[in-house]
Amino acid sequence: MTENGLEHIAFIMDGNGRWAKNRGLPRQAGHVAGAATFKKVIEYCGSVGITCVTVYAFSTENWKRPAEEVSAIMKLFAEYLAEAEKFCMKKNISIHFLGSKAPFGEYAARMTALEEKTKDLGLTLNLALNYGGRDDIVHAVNKLIAEGKKEVTEDDITSSLYTSHCPPPDLIVRTGAEKRISNFLLWECAYSEFYFSDVLWPDFDEKQVDLCVEEFGRRKRRYGGV
Ligand code: IPE
Ligand code: IPE
Ligand code: MG
């Protein structure tokens, strides 16, 4: 963890489209720039002592975007998948996908293989792809029903979510000036701190991460106590 106790940081990587629009470029160009920021930020988070990074890359609702944009994002993901093993091995990153892999067809097996291959490495990277917080809770409850449970506890749900391998996020950062959760980590955010940045995701950098960590250090967490 960082000196001020930050273990798990989660990013809602928002603002790619507006970044591109501001430059007169197609939205897709924003996603390309955003993917580069993602790699830079992950690495930097690891270097300051953060042990778990979650990034919201594609929501269950993002499928309603124009087909052209969805395929551009999927193409970027396929490119990332091709280089991810090498990247994770080199940077000591253990990757986990949050969300159902079913829509990814031929890539699903490769995603699972990547999780297996990197599972004992250092920094945990959760890639939320086809992820929705509501979908995750429903998926968890259905899993418990399939196991024969008639009644569930909070711990049952926590340990059946896609994030069962890691602690809840200490800090959730949303870039791109919007101030909403957009179906991200709904169960896990119960006691997370929130940080909203006006910076569009492609412009986010190491300095911005430092600001997040510093701000986290100023927060007083009470968890309902005094
Ligand atoms: C976030 O950027 C990336 C995804 C949701 C895939 P956006 O594409 O939402 O960018 P804006 O919000 O339109 O600027
Ligand atoms: C949230 O951003 C999802 C991701 C960053 C992947 P959106 O751009 O989809 O959220 P809304 O539509 O502004 O709520
Ligand atoms: Mg957006």
Side-chain angles (χ1 to χ4, degrees):
M1 71 172 83
T2 60
E3 278 170 21
N4 57 20
L6 177 54
E7 241 181 297
H8 181 177
I9 192 166
F11 293 99
I12 301 177
M13 309 186 288
D14 199 21
N16 293 350
R18 279 162 285 162
W19 181 92
K21 191 168 175 244
N22 291 345
R23 285 166 175 72
L25 297 168
R27 291 180 56 84
Q28 282 84 316
H31 298 309
V32 172
T37 299
F38 153 77
K39 292 177 209 166
K40 181 171 74 182
V41 166
I42 304 302
E43 221 179 317
Y44 187 67
C45 285
S47 78
V48 297
I50 291 167
T51 46
C52 182
V53 184
T54 300
V55 291
Y56 202 7
F58 195 82
S59 74
T60 45
E61 287 72 35
N62 287 147
W63 295 106
K64 39 179 184 213
R65 294 190 177 199
E68 196 190 350
E69 179 171 347
V70 171
S71 33
I73 294 171
M74 291 307 143
K75 185 169 167 267
L76 275 174
F77 171 57
E79 283 166 15
Y80 178 71
L81 202 56
E83 64 178 36
E85 186 179 327
K86 213 166 137 198
F87 179 78
C88 290
M89 293 303 203
K90 193 164 154 216
K91 309 284 180 194
N92 197 27
I93 294 170
S94 170
I95 198 161
H96 296 260
F97 293 98
L98 312 184
S100 166
K101 298 182 181 82
F104 301 107
E106 54 172 313
Y107 294 113
R110 281 165 58 190
M111 291 159 77
T112 305
L114 185 62
E115 288 176 318
E116 272 301 306
K117 199 132 200 187
T118 63
K119 90 172 168 222
D120 297 319
L121 300 179
L123 173 74
T124 298
L125 168 62
N126 297 320
L127 203 53
L129 202 70
N130 184 36
Y131 175 86
R134 288 181 170 186
D135 178 71
D136 196 3
I137 295 167
V138 170
H139 169 261
V141 171
N142 280 327
K143 205 166 131 191
L144 292 162
I145 292 171
E147 286 166 12
K149 285 252 164 38
K150 294 269 185 294
E151 207 180 308
V152 299
T153 63
E154 290 193 7
D155 284 347
D156 286 332
I157 294 182
T158 301
S159 58
S160 303
L161 292 172
Y162 288 115
T163 52
S164 61
H165 57 280
C166 61
D170 297 303
L171 182 68
I172 297 181
V173 175
R174 182 169 187 144
T175 65
E178 306 292 3
K179 292 170 186 67
R180 53 178 170 256
I181 194 81
S182 300
N183 204 11
F184 189 46
L185 304 176
L186 297 184
W187 180 271
E188 299 88 332
C189 75
Y191 276 102
S192 301
E193 296 296 324
F194 288 87
Y195 182 97
F196 296 101
S197 167
D198 289 343
V199 175
L200 302 173
W201 178 254
D203 290 328
F204 208 78
D205 60 11
E206 292 89 343
K207 181 81 199 68
Q208 297 298 324
V209 174
D210 286 342
L211 293 178
C212 295
V213 176
E214 280 162 34
E215 173 57 25
F216 179 77
R218 288 190 282 272
R219 303 288 174 94
K220 300 256 179 304
R221 303 177 85 183
R222 282 183 288 276
Y223 300 97
V226 286

